[in-house]
Amino acid sequence: MAYDRELAERVRELLAGVDGITEQPMFGGLAFLVNGNMAVAASGQGGLLVRVPRDEAGGLLGEHVEVMVMGGREMVGWLHVDGAGLGDRLAEWVGRGVGCARSLPAKAGKAAVRRR
């Protein structure tokens, strides 16, 4: 399944004007990075991948939110929010991912596709 281009555009609009944002194809989707650190991604499996502080991840799980699984392995600090869980909360999830990524040291020298 290809990532949801409409969702990616909505994320792009939410991130307009935010410093340090780049876009890069990753994991079959389109990732949005802050200073080289992935914050959120329009997932190739549908929905949104969101980076969150590891100690907050468990408290955010719910009906439409689960731990991201890649290659059969749970990725601690990463959540998958399905389309039904986004609704009018997309800005909240994007803000959460950006805040987490911004709290990490910037990565230098990473090649990335600049925002369109």
Side-chain angles (χ1 to χ4, degrees), residues 10-94:
R10 289 174 58 204
V11 171
R12 190 176 288 123
E13 288 172 8
L14 288 169
L15 295 175
V18 176
D19 290 336
I21 300 292
T22 55
E23 298 176 16
Q24 183 172 337
M26 292 178 119
F27 314 120
L30 183 64
F32 295 85
L33 298 87
V34 178
N35 299 323
N37 293 296
M38 189 169 143
V40 296
S43 172
Q45 304 299 313
L48 189 73
L49 303 179
V50 183
R51 183 177 223 155
V52 297
R54 292 171 157 245
D55 60 342
E56 293 178 18
L60 296 169
L61 299 176
E63 184 176 354
H64 299 285
V65 182
E66 59 190 13
V67 174
M68 180 179 136
V69 176
M70 184 177 298
R73 191 173 136 219
E74 289 189 353
M75 305 300 290
V76 179
W78 288 93
L79 301 177
H80 178 263
V81 183
D82 69 25
L86 293 173
D88 60 356
R89 295 184 63 198
L90 180 60
E92 176 187 339
W93 286 114
V94 170

